[in-house]
Amino acid sequence: MTDVNRQIRLARRPVGEVRPEDWAYGEEPVGVPGDGEFLGRTRYLSLDPAMRGWLDDRPSYLPPVGLGEVMRAGSVVEVVASNHPEFQVGDHVVGAFGVQDYAVSDGKGALKADPALAPLSTYVGALGVPGMTAYFGLLEVGALKEGETVVVSGAAGAVGTMVGQIAKVKGCRVVGIAGGPQKCALLTEELGFDAAIDYRSEDVRKALRTHAPDGIDVYFDNVGGPILDAALTRLAMHARIVVCGAISQYNNEDAVQGPSNYLSLLVRRARMEGFVVFDYARRYAQAAAEIAGWIGEGRIKVMEHLVEGTVADFPETFGMLFRGENTGKLVLRLV
């Protein structure tokens, strides 16, 4: 262990795209755990589109990251010193420890991760918040039924890959929307999606008529904007739209683009509902156990995009999310 804790802090609030000057790299002495605390060394950092929303000074489901504060992030840490009765040296722990090499924690909101059961990176991916988001968003908010047609946007991302695979486990037809032929091929050839639509080269509305001829029963929206509008034109009766995210709108300098085809909800007697996965926190263990079972049976493939680097590589790696450069869960492994 060194005596320096490298960190990334929020230097200024981004306008539009996040730029390098919005971040500040800093160093401070490694903290010393007090009574009831432990010191963890970061091994894996989770990078997620939702982090962009935390940078804006506006009301949301979490308070914004403060100027000068360490960037909020989920991570897996290894306990290197402990005065906490439940966390011992050598334990691996998942929590919101921030973009830094070391974190002192009192253990609130932290969970142990067992590397013997699954790779540690999985605990911020398929067995972490992205997996929980897909599970509860699709099965609870989307009220999925066997035999239905599911369409998911951002289908090659951390949440999208899980949504599609869970829907297949539940006996549904799945259409994924993603950017580029490689990602679309991944969806159909490796993950078992029934069809994939390349929004960069295809007319999404026309393709939905082809691949969802009887309409969409559940549309799981990760991108918002024009693709959401296209999906609204293809709803089946009593369809459900799950509003998970809107990555196409996060860097807008102007107002967010709302759905112009929303009257389809009236005509098709459909509903659109947003959700925040933290509302289901008490049921994470149940969901993780079921997902782990599907992984063990080979019914779900874990898709991860691992980048090796240091804390200083966080800003560039974070930008990959908005350039469409990652496939599956984006994780920075600190080396």
Side-chain angles (χ1 to χ4, degrees), residues 207-261:
L208 285 172
R209 287 199 298 269
T210 299
H211 297 303
D214 297 323
I216 301 168
D217 296 297
V218 177
Y219 173 57
F220 197 105
D221 187 32
N222 289 307
V223 303
I227 293 178
L228 168 59
D229 245 346
L232 281 167
T233 68
R234 293 300 305 159
L235 299 182
M237 289 292 290
H238 304 294
R240 289 83 69 200
I241 297 176
V242 181
V243 181
C244 178
I247 194 171
S248 74
Q249 305 294 298
Y250 290 163
N251 288 330
N252 281 12
E253 296 185 31
D254 300 319
V256 169
Q257 177 182 338
S260 60
N261 294 321

Side-chain angles (χ1 to χ4, degrees), residues 39-103:
L39 174 66
R41 181 174 182 176
T42 306
R43 297 302 185 188
Y44 294 90
L45 278 170
S46 178
L47 294 95
D48 303 283
M51 298 166 79
R52 175 62 184 86
W54 303 342
L55 306 180
D56 295 328
D57 190 9
R58 61 187 180 192
S60 187
Y61 58 90
L62 288 175
V65 177
L67 292 175
E69 291 183 356
V70 173
M71 177 59 193
R72 180 188 297 138
S75 58
V76 179
V77 304
E78 180 181 354
V79 178
V80 293
S82 181
N83 294 313
H84 195 295
E86 297 180 16
F87 298 96
Q88 309 302 316
V89 172
D91 285 346
H92 291 89
V93 185
V94 183
F97 299 115
V99 184
Q100 54 185 341
D101 281 326
Y102 294 90

Side-chain angles (χ1 to χ4, degrees), residues 85 165 183:
Q165 292 186 90
K183 289 185 178 181

